[in-house]
Amino acid sequence: MADISEQLKQRITLLLSEGLTDQSIATRMGMSVRTCRRHIAEIMDRLGVKSRFQAGYLLGAQRAATRPDTPPIPPAGEQHTGGTADHGHGNPVDLHD
């Protein structure tokens, strides 16, 4: 079993590959933005990239190549049910397009 920090980094990596901001990742992970940024910096160093864009692109490409049918992770406390999503604006978005 991987230690907790490796599990956290894997989840942060997944959220980073989806293009989420530091604040969004920190909120979903239940950590401070500063801690989140430290983890992202470690991930970027491990990948050998200099920007979030490079990291997100590389991680997204790796994710698509290994798991093309994986849906995005819903925010903490929410469950993905498919169908439509409101996104807090009162306008449902069809998730099956």
Side-chain angles (χ1 to χ4, degrees), residues 3 8 12-13 19 33 41 46 48 51 57 59 69 71 79 90:
D3 73 5
L8 285 172
I12 291 169
T13 298
V33 175
R46 184 172 54 188
S51 73
Y57 178 83
L59 294 168
D69 296 331
Q79 296 210 3

Side-chain angles (χ1 to χ4, degrees), residues 24-63:
S24 294
I25 294 171
T27 299
R28 288 187 184 198
M29 298 297 299
M31 65 178 62
S32 72
V33 175
R34 184 175 178 171
T35 299
C36 180
R37 287 181 178 152
R38 183 173 45 85
H39 287 306
I40 290 171
E42 290 173 10
I43 291 164
M44 289 173 55
D45 187 51
R46 184 172 54 188
L47 291 171
V49 299
K50 295 182 181 60
S51 73
R52 287 179 60 90
F53 176 80
Q54 289 175 324
Y57 178 83
L58 180 61
L59 294 168
Q62 289 175 351
R63 181 171 178 240

Side-chain angles (χ1 to χ4, degrees), residues 65-77:
T66 59
R67 299 175 70 182
D69 296 331
T70 303
I73 294 176

